[in-house]
Amino acid sequence: MENKLSEAESKGKRKYNVPAVDSAFKILTLLSRKKFNKSNLTEIAKATSLTPTTCYRILQKLEELSIVRYDKGSKRYSLGPYLVVLGERAKENLFDISVILPYLEGLSEQTGLTTFLVNRIGKKRSTILAKVEGEEFGINVSVGRHFSVVDGAYGKCLLAYMDEEESDELLRMNDGLRKLSEQEIIELKKELPTIRKSGYATTFGEYIEGIVGVSAPIFNNGESVEMAIAIIGMTAQLKDQDIEKMGEKIKGVATEISMKLGGYFPQ
């Protein structure tokens, strides 16, 4: 049995559906959002499309494990204290973050802008793993905030290094910060080869009005890109030549990080 499992894993066939785990993760993700950080059973069940009975059972178990907290007075649930422990342990074991954080600090110090590290999560989402706020015109970006994998300059970086079939599928879903028109999707697809060639991606107010973003991919030891670093600032305070210089700068930093992490560089 063990040999069969090992063989399946080596072929990348670890696609098992575990509804309770999926549902628990949906609940925790929901409670991590500011809008739902203190929610009652009805709100959680509705937002996660779970039946109240199923939702209640999962919440009871998560509460027992101190992964969620229940306030008897307000009858609302929130994230629990044991997640703090798990988060700290994860940070200690994530070599990537310890390597990357000093680079983010250096970029913020040099540019005065907010820098952050984005990691892809699952098929459709990405999240901010770390950030350093700039002194000049820092923008508030919350660690742990989730986005569509296609959003922003960092989304462009992730899309540029996906298989065309996968990137097309994600663009067809069109569930980002704002809906893209058919023409915008066509233009974005045309831009992806240029991003691969230049080594960085930019946005200028098209995803969030007034915000400019510059991002570069971090290559892991496989052939995919799961992480990107990014700089964000205000469109009113940055010119085209500034963005180009930042693109080259962040590309150089991302290259150094990739080399330290033993990254694979596509030809």
Side-chain angles (χ1 to χ4, degrees):
M1 180 66 178
E2 185 177 344
N3 289 337
K4 288 182 178 180
L5 283 174
S6 298
E7 184 179 349
E9 289 177 354
S10 67
K11 293 180 179 178
K13 295 182 178 179
R14 297 184 297 170
K15 294 184 178 179
Y16 307 111
N17 185 27
V18 186
V21 175
D22 289 342
S23 298
F25 187 74
K26 282 182 181 178
I27 291 170
L28 295 175
T29 301
L30 183 77
L31 293 175
S32 72
R33 294 167 57 186
K34 187 174 182 180
K35 181 179 177 182
F36 293 96
N37 63 359
K38 292 182 180 179
S39 300
N40 61 34
L41 174 62
T42 302
E43 292 166 340
I44 296 169
K46 182 179 179 181
T48 56
S49 300
L50 297 171
T51 66
T53 301
T54 298
C55 189
Y56 178 72
R57 288 173 179 167
I58 294 172
L59 284 166
Q60 285 288 96
K61 187 60 181 178
L62 293 174
E63 184 190 1
E64 180 185 324
L65 297 170
S66 294
I67 293 175
V68 301
R69 172 183 286 163
Y70 178 65
D71 186 292
K72 292 180 181 179
S74 64
K75 296 184 179 179
R76 292 183 176 274
Y77 294 89
S78 58
L79 295 178
Y82 195 63
L83 286 176
V84 176
V85 177
L86 294 178
E88 287 301 313
R89 295 295 179 269
K91 284 170 65 177
E92 289 171 6
N93 292 317
L94 278 175
F95 173 69
D96 292 355
I97 291 182
S98 65
V99 168
I100 296 169
L101 193 55
Y103 285 99
L104 296 184
E105 292 169 348
L107 279 170
S108 280
E109 186 176 338
Q110 292 168 32
T111 64
L113 303 177
T114 296
T115 60
F116 53 93
L117 169 67
V118 173
N119 197 99
R120 188 177 181 184
I121 293 182
K123 183 180 181 65
K124 301 188 299 181
R125 311 298 290 173
S126 62
T127 191
I128 296 175
L129 288 185
K131 71 164 183 177
V132 178
E133 291 187 4
E135 294 181 1
E136 197 167 318
F137 24 87
I139 295 172
N140 185 27
V141 182
S142 300
V143 172
R145 183 175 175 184
H146 286 204
F147 299 89
S148 167
V149 75
V150 304
D151 282 335
Y154 43 87
K156 287 184 178 182
C157 284
L158 298 176
L159 285 168
Y161 293 93
M162 291 180 196
D163 292 336
E164 187 175 354
E165 182 180 347
E166 183 180 14
S167 62
D168 284 351
E169 180 186 357
L170 290 166
L171 287 170
R172 282 196 302 271
M173 291 178 185
N174 206 0
D175 64 348
L177 287 169
R178 70 174 182 84
K179 293 288 184 183
L180 300 176
S181 69
E182 286 296 322
Q183 186 58 38
E184 285 174 322
I185 291 174
I186 290 170
E187 293 300 319
L188 177 53
K189 288 170 69 173
K190 287 181 180 178
E191 188 181 352
L192 299 182
T194 303
I195 292 169
R196 289 194 295 271
K197 184 177 180 180
S198 65
Y200 64 89
T202 63
T203 57
F204 200 85
E206 58 263 47
Y207 287 92
I208 301 177
E209 188 176 354
I211 300 296
V212 59
V214 186
S215 182
I218 295 173
F219 298 99
N220 58 25
N221 55 10
E223 297 186 16
S224 62
V225 171
E226 301 293 331
M227 292 192 295
I229 55 173
I231 301 174
I232 55 173
M234 307 297 293
T235 54
Q237 295 166 301
L238 293 172
K239 300 177 182 178
D240 288 344
Q241 57 266 35
D242 297 325
I243 295 171
E244 187 175 341
K245 288 177 183 177
M246 285 187 186
E248 292 299 327
K249 181 183 291 290
I250 199 170
K251 173 188 173 182
V253 170
T255 299
E256 283 190 42
I257 293 170
S258 298
M259 291 175 67
K260 280 201 171 183
L261 297 177
Y264 162 91
F265 288 84
Q267 301 299 318

